[in-house]
Every structure is written in C-alpha cells, then in structure tokens.
Amino acid sequence: MRIIVMGQQAFGKDALAKILEAGKDEVVAVYCEPDRDGKPVDPIKEFALEQGLPVKQPAHFKDQATIDELAGFDADLMVMAFVNVFVPEVARDTPNHGSICFHPSLLPKYRGPSAVNWPIIMGDSKSGFSWFYPTDGLDEGDVLLSWECDIAPDDTVIDLYFKKIYPAAIESVLEVCDLYRSGNPPRIAQDEAAATYERRCTKKHAKIDWNKPVKQVYDLIRGTNPAPGAWTTVNGEELQVFDCARVEGDGISARVMEVSDEGVTVQCIGGRILIKRVRPAGGGKIPAPEWVQSSGLKAGDTLGE
C-alpha cells in the first residue's frame, strides 16, 4: 500500500520507522506540524528527511491547494499517529481507504487530551489504546482495534504510557496496515452510553487537597507524574510533588507527620503520603530530604495553606 504518515514527536517518528522497517508498504509522504521558533526540529520531520521522504507541514487543511497536494500523493491509507491539528473529512477521506487514528485510551472512555493521565487519576485498574476511524467528532469514530493493559496500583504516567502503551502501540502499527491490506478491516461502533470526555489535565487539576482520602491523593500525584505535576503550597510557596508512596498512619490531615532520610510524610484521610521527590518554585527536581534542608520544614507543619 501507499501510505501517508501524519504525526509528531517520538511516537510519530517510531511509527514511521516501524512501517519503513517492515518494508511491506511505501511511505509516500510524511505530514507534521509546522516548525516553531526556538523549538527543536520535530523528530518525525528529522527522521523523514534522513530517509529522503517528502515532508509537508500545513498549519491547517482549509485551503483547496493543501487538499490537492495531499491528494496528489495518491495514497491508499493515512496513518495518523499522534496528531494535534484538526484534519477535516475532506482531507481524511483523500486516501483510497481513508485514514486511521491512534488514541491512548480504551475508547469510548477518556476521549480528548490527557487520556493517559485521567485513568490513573480516577483510580482505574485498566487502560490501553485504540486505533479508530476519525470523524469530525472528538475521538468518536468506529474502532479498528484496541489493546488493553493493567494499571498497577503504583503506576505513574511514565509506567503506563512509556513502559506499556507506547511500545505495544508502535508494534500495532503493522497490524493496522495488515488489517487494511486484508481488504476487510473491522469497524466496531463505540458505545455512546459508556463514553466519557475529559479536558486537558492542567495545573489547576493537579492541586493536591490533603484533606481527601489517601488513595485519591495518591492517584492524583501518580496520574500527574511527570506532567503537569501535582502541587501544593508550603508557607505560601508552590511545591511540585512527584515520586511518592502510600504509608499507614492516622492523624490530622494536611499535617507533616514525619521528616526523615526517606522524605516527608503527610497525613491524608485514612493514610499518609511519603513524598520522595519534589520541585520547589524556580528550581529543578530534587530528593525531598534535600529540599527539607533548605526549606526548614518540620513535623507538625501544615501543607496547602
């Protein structure tokens, strides 16, 4: 098949590399977002140019000339691997078999951005990814294939995405192409009654409320690690919280119960959080015990005030 790969960053690059490595299909063009001033060249663009592939970077697909250029590649399929730019139907349907798009959740749950963060924050035990037929609706098209994995009790975004979803998703690119090559790719309608839409997980969602049940606090911290980063305040100064652990104990919520060589232990409802790694305002990530030495934090202090 003649394939257009549309994507960005490492995921787009690795998906492109996987298709080229298999050697079954011809990549006729690579589409990615426009260059940004002061930002490094997108890895997928850099790799595509190294491979001698045509690279196109339209800011949108509103112009007929852009659509005509896309159609000129006479592609059979467009593989949309990590795409932020809205691609309208007229562009998606230009290839002979249309387009297929990747989403890092088990659709119809967690449509929208930050689909890796929210399952952890919400305390789910399962996640995965989907390849679906894109429509003008947000992640609403029929599903071609899906893949499921467990979310372990201590998984962070790094564990779930980079160690589980990412490698399996890259491998699945070839399965996607094979399903189209077979001539009858599956179309599984999404259950709208089970659909959820979540906004992008931002700083305002990542503020820690130490007066919540300990599991909710722990899930928020690991579901925002490494980004956008959970945060609290110490004497009015913001402090981001990253690596941590749940420990037993009772007491007054939001109170620092212990400061040790392991970190800072803070009381929540029904248990405690041992903070191991932090980032103070204006600084980099450091071990919590190292930060304590400069902050003067002590047992009995209260966080979040």
Side-chain angles (χ1 to χ4, degrees), residues 31 101 112 119 121 145 165 207 216-217 297:
Y31 276 70
C101 188
I121 293 170
L145 68 85
I165 291 175
K207 184 178 181 180
Q216 291 183 27
V217 175
L297 187 76

Side-chain angles (χ1 to χ4, degrees), residues 233-285:
T233 56
V234 181
N235 297 322
E237 293 289 328
E238 289 187 10
L239 178 74
Q240 286 189 296
V241 177
F242 296 96
D243 301 343
C244 64
R246 282 181 61 175
V247 294
E248 298 295 324
D250 198 7
I252 299 174
S253 57
R255 182 166 292 179
V256 176
M257 306 305 292
E258 183 181 8
V259 175
S260 69
D261 291 341
E262 291 186 274
V264 178
T265 304
V266 185
Q267 185 68 46
C268 302
I269 303 298
R272 300 173 178 177
I273 299 292
L274 171 61
I275 302 171
K276 299 181 177 181
R277 193 166 186 81
V278 300
R279 179 160 59 197
K285 293 181 184 179

Side-chain angles (χ1 to χ4, degrees), residues 201-220:
C201 184
T202 63
K203 178 182 177 180
K204 70 178 181 180
H205 302 114
K207 184 178 181 180
I208 301 170
D209 182 350
W210 299 104
N211 298 297
K212 295 280 189 179
V214 65
K215 184 180 186 302
Q216 291 183 27
V217 175
Y218 185 58
D219 291 345
L220 175 68

Side-chain angles (χ1 to χ4, degrees), residues 89-284:
E89 181 179 9
V90 65
R92 297 192 308 266
D93 289 351
T94 293
N96 297 323
H97 301 306
S99 302
I100 195 71
C101 188
F102 172 77
H103 186 71
S105 83
L106 292 172
L107 291 173
K109 291 193 72 174
Y110 302 110
R111 293 171 174 172
S114 303
V116 181
N117 301 91
W118 289 116
I120 302 175
I121 293 170
M122 300 298 285
D124 290 3
S125 61
K126 299 286 185 181
S127 188
F129 63 78
S130 308
W131 285 96
F132 71 101
Y133 300 86
T135 66
D136 285 350
L138 183 61
D139 304 325
E140 294 178 359
D142 293 347
V143 173
L144 171 74
L145 68 85
S146 59
W147 177 89
E148 181 180 288
C149 65
D150 291 332
I151 303 177
D154 297 317
D155 276 351
T156 65
V157 172
I158 293 173
D159 298 313
L160 176 58
Y161 182 67
F162 290 102
K163 297 180 182 179
K164 296 179 181 180
I165 291 175
Y166 190 108
I170 294 300
E171 289 296 326
S172 75
V173 171
L174 299 185
E175 183 179 356
V176 168
C177 294
D178 287 343
L179 287 170
Y180 273 91
R181 196 179 295 104
S182 72
N184 190 28
R187 295 190 75 106
I188 305 164
Q190 294 189 39
D191 180 3
E192 290 300 319
T196 62
Y197 294 83
E198 305 297 344
R199 300 179 63 182
R200 184 176 301 280
C201 184
T202 63
K203 178 182 177 180
K204 70 178 181 180
H205 302 114
K207 184 178 181 180
I208 301 170
D209 182 350
W210 299 104
N211 298 297
K212 295 280 189 179
V214 65
K215 184 180 186 302
Q216 291 183 27
V217 175
Y218 185 58
D219 291 345
L220 175 68
I221 295 171
R222 65 194 184 96
T224 54
N225 182 6
W231 62 280
T232 187
T233 56
V234 181
N235 297 322
E237 293 289 328
E238 289 187 10
L239 178 74
Q240 286 189 296
V241 177
F242 296 96
D243 301 343
C244 64
R246 282 181 61 175
V247 294
E248 298 295 324
D250 198 7
I252 299 174
S253 57
R255 182 166 292 179
V256 176
M257 306 305 292
E258 183 181 8
V259 175
S260 69
D261 291 341
E262 291 186 274
V264 178
T265 304
V266 185
Q267 185 68 46
C268 302
I269 303 298
R272 300 173 178 177
I273 299 292
L274 171 61
I275 302 171
K276 299 181 177 181
R277 193 166 186 81
V278 300
R279 179 160 59 197

Side-chain angles (χ1 to χ4, degrees), residues 1 19-26 174 177-178 181:
M1 292 189 301
I19 294 171
L20 293 175
E21 179 185 308
K24 292 182 180 180
D25 301 292
E26 179 187 2
L174 299 185
C177 294
D178 287 343
R181 196 179 295 104

Side-chain angles (χ1 to χ4, degrees), residues 63-86:
D63 300 329
Q64 187 59 46
T66 303
I67 301 301
D68 291 343
E69 184 176 48
L70 182 66
F73 290 109
D74 190 26
D76 295 306
L77 176 66
M78 183 156 66
V79 176
M80 300 170 66
F82 187 18
V83 176
N84 284 332
V85 174
F86 175 69

